[in-house]
Short mmCIF file of all heavy atoms in Angstrom, two decimals:
data_model
loop_
_atom_site.label_atom_id
_atom_site.label_comp_id
_atom_site.label_asym_id
_atom_site.label_seq_id
_atom_site.Cartn_x
_atom_site.Cartn_y
_atom_site.Cartn_z
N MET A 1 0.20 -0.44 -5.40
CA MET A 1 0.41 0.96 -5.68
C MET A 1 -0.87 1.76 -5.48
O MET A 1 -0.82 2.93 -5.17
CB MET A 1 0.92 1.08 -7.12
CG MET A 1 1.72 2.30 -7.38
SD MET A 1 2.97 2.82 -6.17
CE MET A 1 3.95 1.40 -5.91
N LYS A 2 -1.99 1.08 -5.65
CA LYS A 2 -3.26 1.76 -5.47
C LYS A 2 -3.44 2.22 -4.02
O LYS A 2 -4.01 3.28 -3.76
CB LYS A 2 -4.39 0.82 -5.88
CG LYS A 2 -5.71 1.49 -6.07
CD LYS A 2 -6.71 0.52 -6.64
CE LYS A 2 -7.97 1.24 -7.01
NZ LYS A 2 -8.95 0.35 -7.60
N ASN A 3 -2.90 1.43 -3.08
CA ASN A 3 -3.00 1.81 -1.67
C ASN A 3 -2.19 3.06 -1.36
O ASN A 3 -2.59 3.87 -0.53
CB ASN A 3 -2.54 0.66 -0.78
CG ASN A 3 -3.52 -0.49 -0.80
OD1 ASN A 3 -4.71 -0.30 -1.04
ND2 ASN A 3 -3.01 -1.68 -0.58
N TYR A 4 -1.03 3.21 -2.02
CA TYR A 4 -0.23 4.42 -1.81
C TYR A 4 -0.96 5.65 -2.33
O TYR A 4 -0.93 6.71 -1.71
CB TYR A 4 1.13 4.31 -2.49
CG TYR A 4 2.08 3.35 -1.80
CD1 TYR A 4 2.76 2.38 -2.52
CD2 TYR A 4 2.30 3.43 -0.44
CE1 TYR A 4 3.63 1.51 -1.90
CE2 TYR A 4 3.17 2.57 0.19
CZ TYR A 4 3.83 1.62 -0.54
OH TYR A 4 4.70 0.77 0.10
N ARG A 5 -1.60 5.51 -3.46
CA ARG A 5 -2.36 6.65 -4.00
C ARG A 5 -3.53 7.01 -3.09
O ARG A 5 -3.83 8.19 -2.89
CB ARG A 5 -2.88 6.32 -5.40
CG ARG A 5 -1.80 6.29 -6.43
CD ARG A 5 -2.39 6.18 -7.81
NE ARG A 5 -1.39 5.87 -8.79
CZ ARG A 5 -0.66 6.77 -9.41
NH1 ARG A 5 -0.81 8.04 -9.16
NH2 ARG A 5 0.24 6.40 -10.30
N ARG A 6 -4.19 6.01 -2.55
CA ARG A 6 -5.32 6.26 -1.65
C ARG A 6 -4.83 6.93 -0.37
O ARG A 6 -5.44 7.90 0.11
CB ARG A 6 -6.04 4.96 -1.33
CG ARG A 6 -7.27 5.19 -0.46
CD ARG A 6 -8.12 3.97 -0.33
NE ARG A 6 -8.75 3.71 -1.63
CZ ARG A 6 -8.96 2.50 -2.12
NH1 ARG A 6 -8.61 1.44 -1.44
NH2 ARG A 6 -9.53 2.34 -3.29
N ALA A 7 -3.73 6.45 0.20
CA ALA A 7 -3.18 7.06 1.41
C ALA A 7 -2.74 8.49 1.14
O ALA A 7 -2.92 9.37 1.98
CB ALA A 7 -2.01 6.23 1.92
N TRP A 8 -2.15 8.72 -0.04
CA TRP A 8 -1.73 10.07 -0.42
C TRP A 8 -2.93 11.00 -0.50
O TRP A 8 -2.90 12.12 0.01
CB TRP A 8 -0.99 9.99 -1.77
CG TRP A 8 -0.37 11.25 -2.23
CD1 TRP A 8 0.81 11.76 -1.81
CD2 TRP A 8 -0.89 12.15 -3.20
NE1 TRP A 8 1.07 12.94 -2.48
CE2 TRP A 8 0.04 13.20 -3.34
CE3 TRP A 8 -2.05 12.17 -3.97
CZ2 TRP A 8 -0.17 14.25 -4.22
CZ3 TRP A 8 -2.25 13.21 -4.84
CH2 TRP A 8 -1.32 14.24 -4.96
N SER A 9 -4.01 10.53 -1.12
CA SER A 9 -5.22 11.34 -1.26
C SER A 9 -5.87 11.62 0.10
O SER A 9 -6.29 12.75 0.36
CB SER A 9 -6.24 10.63 -2.16
OG SER A 9 -5.70 10.41 -3.42
N VAL A 10 -5.94 10.62 0.94
CA VAL A 10 -6.55 10.81 2.25
C VAL A 10 -5.74 11.77 3.10
O VAL A 10 -6.30 12.62 3.80
CB VAL A 10 -6.73 9.44 2.96
CG1 VAL A 10 -7.10 9.61 4.42
CG2 VAL A 10 -7.77 8.61 2.25
N SER A 11 -4.42 11.67 3.03
CA SER A 11 -3.59 12.58 3.82
C SER A 11 -3.75 14.02 3.34
O SER A 11 -3.81 14.94 4.17
CB SER A 11 -2.13 12.16 3.78
OG SER A 11 -1.61 12.26 2.48
N LEU A 12 -3.86 14.23 2.03
CA LEU A 12 -4.12 15.58 1.54
C LEU A 12 -5.48 16.09 2.00
O LEU A 12 -5.62 17.26 2.37
CB LEU A 12 -4.08 15.59 0.01
CG LEU A 12 -2.73 15.72 -0.65
CD1 LEU A 12 -2.88 15.69 -2.16
CD2 LEU A 12 -2.03 16.98 -0.22
N LEU A 13 -6.47 15.22 1.99
CA LEU A 13 -7.81 15.61 2.44
C LEU A 13 -7.82 15.97 3.92
O LEU A 13 -8.44 16.97 4.32
CB LEU A 13 -8.80 14.48 2.16
CG LEU A 13 -10.26 14.74 2.44
CD1 LEU A 13 -10.77 15.84 1.52
CD2 LEU A 13 -11.06 13.47 2.24
N VAL A 14 -7.12 15.20 4.73
CA VAL A 14 -7.05 15.48 6.17
C VAL A 14 -6.36 16.81 6.43
O VAL A 14 -6.83 17.63 7.22
CB VAL A 14 -6.33 14.33 6.92
CG1 VAL A 14 -5.97 14.72 8.33
CG2 VAL A 14 -7.19 13.08 6.91
N ILE A 15 -5.24 17.06 5.74
CA ILE A 15 -4.53 18.32 5.90
C ILE A 15 -5.41 19.49 5.49
O ILE A 15 -5.46 20.52 6.18
CB ILE A 15 -3.22 18.31 5.09
CG1 ILE A 15 -2.24 17.31 5.70
CG2 ILE A 15 -2.59 19.68 5.03
CD1 ILE A 15 -1.02 17.03 4.85
N ALA A 16 -6.13 19.34 4.38
CA ALA A 16 -7.00 20.42 3.91
C ALA A 16 -8.13 20.69 4.91
O ALA A 16 -8.44 21.85 5.21
CB ALA A 16 -7.57 20.07 2.55
N CYS A 17 -8.77 19.65 5.43
CA CYS A 17 -9.88 19.83 6.38
C CYS A 17 -9.40 20.49 7.67
O CYS A 17 -10.07 21.40 8.18
CB CYS A 17 -10.53 18.49 6.69
SG CYS A 17 -11.47 17.81 5.32
N ILE A 18 -8.27 20.06 8.18
CA ILE A 18 -7.76 20.66 9.42
C ILE A 18 -7.40 22.13 9.19
O ILE A 18 -7.68 22.99 10.03
CB ILE A 18 -6.55 19.86 9.93
CG1 ILE A 18 -7.01 18.51 10.44
CG2 ILE A 18 -5.82 20.62 11.03
CD1 ILE A 18 -5.90 17.56 10.81
N THR A 19 -6.82 22.42 8.04
CA THR A 19 -6.47 23.81 7.73
C THR A 19 -7.71 24.68 7.60
O THR A 19 -7.75 25.81 8.12
CB THR A 19 -5.65 23.86 6.43
OG1 THR A 19 -4.50 23.03 6.58
CG2 THR A 19 -5.22 25.28 6.11
N ILE A 20 -8.73 24.17 6.95
CA ILE A 20 -9.98 24.93 6.79
C ILE A 20 -10.64 25.17 8.14
O ILE A 20 -11.08 26.29 8.43
CB ILE A 20 -10.93 24.21 5.82
CG1 ILE A 20 -10.38 24.30 4.40
CG2 ILE A 20 -12.34 24.78 5.90
CD1 ILE A 20 -11.11 23.43 3.40
N ILE A 21 -10.69 24.15 8.98
CA ILE A 21 -11.31 24.31 10.30
C ILE A 21 -10.54 25.32 11.14
O ILE A 21 -11.13 26.20 11.77
CB ILE A 21 -11.40 22.94 11.02
CG1 ILE A 21 -12.43 22.05 10.34
CG2 ILE A 21 -11.75 23.13 12.49
CD1 ILE A 21 -12.42 20.61 10.84
N SER A 22 -9.23 25.23 11.12
CA SER A 22 -8.41 26.17 11.90
C SER A 22 -8.56 27.60 11.39
O SER A 22 -8.64 28.54 12.18
CB SER A 22 -6.94 25.76 11.82
OG SER A 22 -6.75 24.51 12.40
N THR A 23 -8.61 27.77 10.08
CA THR A 23 -8.75 29.10 9.51
C THR A 23 -10.10 29.70 9.82
O THR A 23 -10.20 30.88 10.20
CB THR A 23 -8.54 29.03 7.98
OG1 THR A 23 -7.27 28.44 7.71
CG2 THR A 23 -8.61 30.40 7.36
N ILE A 24 -11.14 28.92 9.69
CA ILE A 24 -12.50 29.43 9.97
C ILE A 24 -12.64 29.83 11.43
O ILE A 24 -13.18 30.90 11.74
CB ILE A 24 -13.56 28.39 9.57
CG1 ILE A 24 -13.62 28.28 8.04
CG2 ILE A 24 -14.93 28.75 10.13
CD1 ILE A 24 -14.51 27.16 7.54
N THR A 25 -12.15 29.00 12.34
CA THR A 25 -12.27 29.34 13.76
C THR A 25 -11.42 30.56 14.10
O THR A 25 -11.79 31.36 14.96
CB THR A 25 -11.88 28.16 14.66
OG1 THR A 25 -10.55 27.74 14.34
CG2 THR A 25 -12.85 27.01 14.50
N SER A 26 -10.28 30.71 13.43
CA SER A 26 -9.43 31.87 13.68
C SER A 26 -10.09 33.15 13.19
O SER A 26 -10.10 34.17 13.89
CB SER A 26 -8.09 31.68 13.00
OG SER A 26 -7.29 32.81 13.15
N PHE A 27 -10.65 33.12 11.98
CA PHE A 27 -11.31 34.31 11.43
C PHE A 27 -12.57 34.67 12.20
O PHE A 27 -12.89 35.84 12.37
CB PHE A 27 -11.66 34.11 9.96
CG PHE A 27 -10.48 34.27 9.03
CD1 PHE A 27 -10.45 33.59 7.84
CD2 PHE A 27 -9.42 35.10 9.34
CE1 PHE A 27 -9.38 33.73 6.97
CE2 PHE A 27 -8.34 35.24 8.49
CZ PHE A 27 -8.33 34.55 7.29
N ALA A 28 -13.29 33.66 12.67
CA ALA A 28 -14.53 33.90 13.40
C ALA A 28 -14.27 34.31 14.85
O ALA A 28 -15.19 34.73 15.55
CB ALA A 28 -15.41 32.66 13.36
N GLY A 29 -13.05 34.15 15.29
CA GLY A 29 -12.72 34.52 16.67
C GLY A 29 -13.18 33.48 17.68
O GLY A 29 -13.33 33.79 18.86
N ILE A 30 -13.39 32.28 17.23
CA ILE A 30 -13.82 31.19 18.11
C ILE A 30 -12.57 30.53 18.69
O ILE A 30 -11.69 30.11 17.95
CB ILE A 30 -14.66 30.15 17.34
CG1 ILE A 30 -15.90 30.81 16.75
CG2 ILE A 30 -15.04 28.98 18.23
CD1 ILE A 30 -16.64 29.93 15.76
N ASN A 31 -12.53 30.42 19.99
CA ASN A 31 -11.42 29.75 20.63
C ASN A 31 -11.77 28.28 20.84
O ASN A 31 -12.70 27.95 21.56
CB ASN A 31 -11.10 30.39 21.99
CG ASN A 31 -10.52 31.77 21.83
OD1 ASN A 31 -9.87 32.05 20.83
ND2 ASN A 31 -10.76 32.62 22.80
N MET A 32 -11.00 27.42 20.16
CA MET A 32 -11.21 25.99 20.34
C MET A 32 -10.59 25.56 21.66
O MET A 32 -9.58 26.14 22.08
CB MET A 32 -10.57 25.21 19.20
CG MET A 32 -11.26 25.32 17.88
SD MET A 32 -10.73 24.12 16.67
CE MET A 32 -8.98 24.33 16.63
N PRO A 33 -11.17 24.56 22.29
CA PRO A 33 -10.53 24.03 23.50
C PRO A 33 -9.13 23.51 23.19
O PRO A 33 -8.83 23.10 22.07
CB PRO A 33 -11.45 22.89 23.92
CG PRO A 33 -12.76 23.21 23.30
CD PRO A 33 -12.45 23.92 22.04
N ASP A 34 -8.28 23.55 24.19
CA ASP A 34 -6.89 23.15 24.02
C ASP A 34 -6.77 21.71 23.53
O ASP A 34 -5.89 21.39 22.72
CB ASP A 34 -6.15 23.33 25.34
CG ASP A 34 -4.66 23.17 25.18
OD1 ASP A 34 -4.12 23.66 24.17
OD2 ASP A 34 -4.04 22.56 26.07
N MET A 35 -7.65 20.85 23.98
CA MET A 35 -7.59 19.44 23.59
C MET A 35 -7.84 19.28 22.09
O MET A 35 -7.17 18.49 21.43
CB MET A 35 -8.60 18.61 24.39
CG MET A 35 -8.48 17.13 24.13
SD MET A 35 -6.84 16.50 24.46
CE MET A 35 -6.99 16.07 26.14
N PHE A 36 -8.80 20.03 21.54
CA PHE A 36 -9.07 19.95 20.10
C PHE A 36 -7.87 20.46 19.30
O PHE A 36 -7.52 19.90 18.26
CB PHE A 36 -10.31 20.74 19.72
CG PHE A 36 -11.59 20.09 20.11
CD1 PHE A 36 -12.64 20.84 20.61
CD2 PHE A 36 -11.77 18.73 19.99
CE1 PHE A 36 -13.83 20.25 20.97
CE2 PHE A 36 -12.95 18.12 20.35
CZ PHE A 36 -13.98 18.88 20.84
N THR A 37 -7.26 21.52 19.79
CA THR A 37 -6.09 22.06 19.11
C THR A 37 -4.96 21.04 19.07
O THR A 37 -4.31 20.86 18.04
CB THR A 37 -5.61 23.35 19.80
OG1 THR A 37 -6.70 24.26 19.89
CG2 THR A 37 -4.47 23.99 19.06
N ARG A 38 -4.75 20.37 20.18
CA ARG A 38 -3.69 19.36 20.23
C ARG A 38 -4.02 18.15 19.35
O ARG A 38 -3.13 17.61 18.68
CB ARG A 38 -3.46 18.90 21.67
CG ARG A 38 -2.84 19.97 22.52
CD ARG A 38 -2.74 19.51 23.97
NE ARG A 38 -2.35 20.60 24.82
CZ ARG A 38 -1.12 20.79 25.27
NH1 ARG A 38 -0.17 19.95 24.91
NH2 ARG A 38 -0.83 21.80 26.05
N ILE A 39 -5.27 17.73 19.34
CA ILE A 39 -5.67 16.60 18.50
C ILE A 39 -5.51 16.95 17.03
O ILE A 39 -4.98 16.16 16.24
CB ILE A 39 -7.11 16.16 18.83
CG1 ILE A 39 -7.16 15.50 20.21
CG2 ILE A 39 -7.64 15.21 17.76
CD1 ILE A 39 -8.56 15.20 20.70
N PHE A 40 -5.94 18.15 16.64
CA PHE A 40 -5.79 18.57 15.26
C PHE A 40 -4.32 18.67 14.87
O PHE A 40 -3.92 18.31 13.76
CB PHE A 40 -6.48 19.91 15.00
CG PHE A 40 -7.98 19.81 14.91
CD1 PHE A 40 -8.76 20.92 15.14
CD2 PHE A 40 -8.61 18.63 14.60
CE1 PHE A 40 -10.14 20.86 15.06
CE2 PHE A 40 -9.98 18.54 14.51
CZ PHE A 40 -10.75 19.65 14.74
N GLY A 41 -3.50 19.16 15.78
CA GLY A 41 -2.06 19.25 15.51
C GLY A 41 -1.42 17.88 15.33
O GLY A 41 -0.62 17.67 14.42
N LEU A 42 -1.81 16.94 16.17
CA LEU A 42 -1.29 15.58 16.07
C LEU A 42 -1.74 14.91 14.77
O LEU A 42 -0.95 14.26 14.09
CB LEU A 42 -1.74 14.76 17.28
CG LEU A 42 -1.09 13.41 17.47
CD1 LEU A 42 0.40 13.59 17.69
CD2 LEU A 42 -1.71 12.69 18.64
N LEU A 43 -3.01 15.09 14.41
CA LEU A 43 -3.51 14.54 13.16
C LEU A 43 -2.79 15.17 11.96
O LEU A 43 -2.48 14.48 10.98
CB LEU A 43 -5.01 14.77 13.03
CG LEU A 43 -5.92 13.88 13.86
CD1 LEU A 43 -7.37 14.35 13.73
CD2 LEU A 43 -5.81 12.45 13.41
N ASP A 44 -2.53 16.45 12.05
CA ASP A 44 -1.84 17.15 10.97
C ASP A 44 -0.41 16.62 10.80
O ASP A 44 0.04 16.38 9.68
CB ASP A 44 -1.83 18.64 11.26
CG ASP A 44 -1.55 19.47 10.03
OD1 ASP A 44 -1.81 18.99 8.92
OD2 ASP A 44 -1.09 20.61 10.20
N ILE A 45 0.29 16.42 11.89
CA ILE A 45 1.65 15.89 11.82
C ILE A 45 1.65 14.48 11.23
O ILE A 45 2.49 14.16 10.38
CB ILE A 45 2.32 15.92 13.21
CG1 ILE A 45 2.60 17.36 13.63
CG2 ILE A 45 3.59 15.08 13.23
CD1 ILE A 45 3.06 17.50 15.05
N CYS A 46 0.71 13.65 11.67
CA CYS A 46 0.63 12.29 11.12
C CYS A 46 0.31 12.31 9.63
O CYS A 46 0.88 11.53 8.85
CB CYS A 46 -0.43 11.48 11.87
SG CYS A 46 0.01 11.11 13.56
N ALA A 47 -0.59 13.19 9.22
CA ALA A 47 -0.96 13.28 7.81
C ALA A 47 0.22 13.76 6.97
O ALA A 47 0.41 13.29 5.84
CB ALA A 47 -2.15 14.21 7.64
N VAL A 48 1.02 14.67 7.49
CA VAL A 48 2.19 15.15 6.75
C VAL A 48 3.22 14.02 6.60
O VAL A 48 3.82 13.85 5.53
CB VAL A 48 2.82 16.38 7.44
CG1 VAL A 48 4.18 16.71 6.87
CG2 VAL A 48 1.90 17.57 7.30
N VAL A 49 3.42 13.23 7.64
CA VAL A 49 4.35 12.11 7.56
C VAL A 49 3.89 11.10 6.51
O VAL A 49 4.68 10.63 5.70
CB VAL A 49 4.52 11.44 8.95
CG1 VAL A 49 5.28 10.13 8.83
CG2 VAL A 49 5.21 12.38 9.90
N VAL A 50 2.60 10.78 6.51
CA VAL A 50 2.06 9.85 5.51
C VAL A 50 2.18 10.44 4.11
O VAL A 50 2.53 9.73 3.16
CB VAL A 50 0.59 9.51 5.83
CG1 VAL A 50 -0.06 8.74 4.69
CG2 VAL A 50 0.50 8.70 7.12
N LEU A 51 1.93 11.73 3.98
CA LEU A 51 2.05 12.39 2.68
C LEU A 51 3.48 12.32 2.14
O LEU A 51 3.69 11.99 0.97
CB LEU A 51 1.60 13.85 2.78
CG LEU A 51 1.66 14.66 1.49
CD1 LEU A 51 0.60 14.17 0.53
CD2 LEU A 51 1.48 16.12 1.78
N VAL A 52 4.46 12.58 2.98
CA VAL A 52 5.86 12.52 2.56
C VAL A 52 6.24 11.09 2.18
O VAL A 52 6.86 10.86 1.13
CB VAL A 52 6.79 13.07 3.66
CG1 VAL A 52 8.24 12.77 3.37
CG2 VAL A 52 6.57 14.55 3.84
N PHE A 53 5.87 10.13 3.00
CA PHE A 53 6.22 8.73 2.74
C PHE A 53 5.61 8.25 1.42
O PHE A 53 6.31 7.67 0.58
CB PHE A 53 5.74 7.85 3.89
CG PHE A 53 5.96 6.38 3.65
CD1 PHE A 53 7.23 5.84 3.77
CD2 PHE A 53 4.91 5.56 3.29
CE1 PHE A 53 7.43 4.49 3.54
CE2 PHE A 53 5.11 4.21 3.06
CZ PHE A 53 6.38 3.67 3.19
N THR A 54 4.33 8.52 1.22
CA THR A 54 3.68 8.05 0.00
C THR A 54 4.18 8.80 -1.23
O THR A 54 4.27 8.22 -2.31
CB THR A 54 2.15 8.15 0.11
OG1 THR A 54 1.79 9.49 0.44
CG2 THR A 54 1.62 7.20 1.15
N SER A 55 4.51 10.07 -1.07
CA SER A 55 5.06 10.83 -2.20
C SER A 55 6.39 10.24 -2.65
O SER A 55 6.64 10.09 -3.85
CB SER A 55 5.25 12.29 -1.83
OG SER A 55 4.02 12.91 -1.57
N VAL A 56 7.24 9.89 -1.70
CA VAL A 56 8.53 9.29 -2.04
C VAL A 56 8.33 7.93 -2.68
O VAL A 56 8.97 7.61 -3.69
CB VAL A 56 9.43 9.19 -0.78
CG1 VAL A 56 10.66 8.35 -1.05
CG2 VAL A 56 9.82 10.57 -0.30
N LYS A 57 7.44 7.12 -2.13
CA LYS A 57 7.18 5.80 -2.70
C LYS A 57 6.64 5.90 -4.12
O LYS A 57 7.05 5.14 -5.00
CB LYS A 57 6.19 5.02 -1.83
CG LYS A 57 6.80 4.43 -0.60
CD LYS A 57 7.78 3.36 -0.99
CE LYS A 57 8.00 2.41 0.15
NZ LYS A 57 8.91 1.34 -0.21
N LEU A 58 5.72 6.82 -4.35
CA LEU A 58 5.16 6.98 -5.70
C LEU A 58 6.23 7.49 -6.67
O LEU A 58 6.25 7.09 -7.83
CB LEU A 58 3.96 7.93 -5.66
CG LEU A 58 2.70 7.36 -5.03
CD1 LEU A 58 1.64 8.45 -4.89
CD2 LEU A 58 2.16 6.20 -5.84
N LYS A 59 7.10 8.37 -6.21
CA LYS A 59 8.16 8.90 -7.08
C LYS A 59 9.14 7.78 -7.45
O LYS A 59 9.57 7.67 -8.60
CB LYS A 59 8.89 10.03 -6.35
CG LYS A 59 9.77 10.81 -7.21
CD LYS A 59 8.96 11.60 -8.19
CE LYS A 59 9.71 12.82 -8.64
NZ LYS A 59 8.99 13.60 -9.62
N ILE A 60 9.49 6.94 -6.47
CA ILE A 60 10.39 5.82 -6.75
C ILE A 60 9.72 4.84 -7.71
O ILE A 60 10.36 4.32 -8.63
CB ILE A 60 10.79 5.11 -5.43
CG1 ILE A 60 11.72 6.01 -4.62
CG2 ILE A 60 11.45 3.78 -5.70
CD1 ILE A 60 11.99 5.49 -3.22
N TRP A 61 8.44 4.59 -7.52
CA TRP A 61 7.71 3.65 -8.38
C TRP A 61 7.65 4.16 -9.81
O TRP A 61 7.83 3.40 -10.76
CB TRP A 61 6.32 3.43 -7.82
CG TRP A 61 5.49 2.48 -8.64
CD1 TRP A 61 5.66 1.15 -8.76
CD2 TRP A 61 4.37 2.83 -9.46
NE1 TRP A 61 4.71 0.65 -9.59
CE2 TRP A 61 3.91 1.65 -10.04
CE3 TRP A 61 3.73 4.03 -9.74
CZ2 TRP A 61 2.82 1.62 -10.90
CZ3 TRP A 61 2.65 4.01 -10.58
CH2 TRP A 61 2.21 2.82 -11.15
N LYS A 62 7.41 5.45 -9.99
CA LYS A 62 7.33 6.03 -11.33
C LYS A 62 8.70 6.00 -12.00
O LYS A 62 8.80 5.82 -13.22
CB LYS A 62 6.81 7.46 -11.29
CG LYS A 62 5.32 7.53 -11.10
CD LYS A 62 4.83 8.94 -11.19
CE LYS A 62 3.33 8.99 -10.98
NZ LYS A 62 2.81 10.34 -11.09
N LYS A 63 9.76 6.21 -11.24
CA LYS A 63 11.10 6.19 -11.80
C LYS A 63 11.49 4.79 -12.26
O LYS A 63 12.22 4.63 -13.23
CB LYS A 63 12.10 6.70 -10.77
CG LYS A 63 13.20 7.49 -11.35
CD LYS A 63 14.04 8.10 -10.27
CE LYS A 63 14.27 9.53 -10.65
NZ LYS A 63 15.26 10.17 -9.85
N GLY A 64 11.00 3.78 -11.57
CA GLY A 64 11.33 2.40 -11.90
C GLY A 64 10.62 1.88 -13.13
O GLY A 64 11.01 0.87 -13.71
N GLN A 65 9.60 2.56 -13.56
CA GLN A 65 8.84 2.07 -14.72
C GLN A 65 9.45 2.45 -16.01
O GLN A 65 9.98 3.28 -16.43
CB GLN A 65 7.41 2.57 -14.68
CG GLN A 65 6.57 1.80 -13.74
CD GLN A 65 5.09 2.20 -13.86
OE1 GLN A 65 4.75 3.20 -14.47
NE2 GLN A 65 4.25 1.40 -13.28
#
């Protein structure tokens, strides 16, 4: 169960970092290269999938106790 909590925390951290980077570059008017935008988008989608999976697993685990 400790691994699910760690994966949940890391996925939240990744989502937060990508959001902060995207927001800062948008406000500053900096255009990121297309490749960075696609990589950040792919990482964000993967982090959301991990977040949903671990959230469900943790909810099921708590209900079983």
Side-chain angles (χ1 to χ4, degrees):
M1 205 44 52
K2 195 173 188 179
N3 290 333
Y4 287 131
R5 288 189 192 273
R6 183 170 291 143
W8 187 80
S9 300
V10 168
S11 64
L12 277 179
L13 185 64
V14 167
I15 292 170
C17 289
I18 290 172
T19 304
I20 289 170
I21 290 171
S22 297
T23 304
I24 290 173
T25 57
S26 176
F27 282 151
I30 301 169
N31 291 331
M32 288 193 306
D34 190 40
M35 186 57 90
F36 285 141
T37 306
R38 290 176 190 259
I39 290 172
F40 285 158
L42 191 62
L43 284 174
D44 198 25
I45 290 172
C46 291
V48 168
V49 170
V50 170
L51 180 69
V52 168
F53 176 76
T54 55
S55 295
V56 170
K57 282 293 202 178
L58 287 173
K59 193 68 154 178
I60 290 171
W61 180 71
K62 282 186 181 181
K63 216 173 226 191
Q65 281 188 347

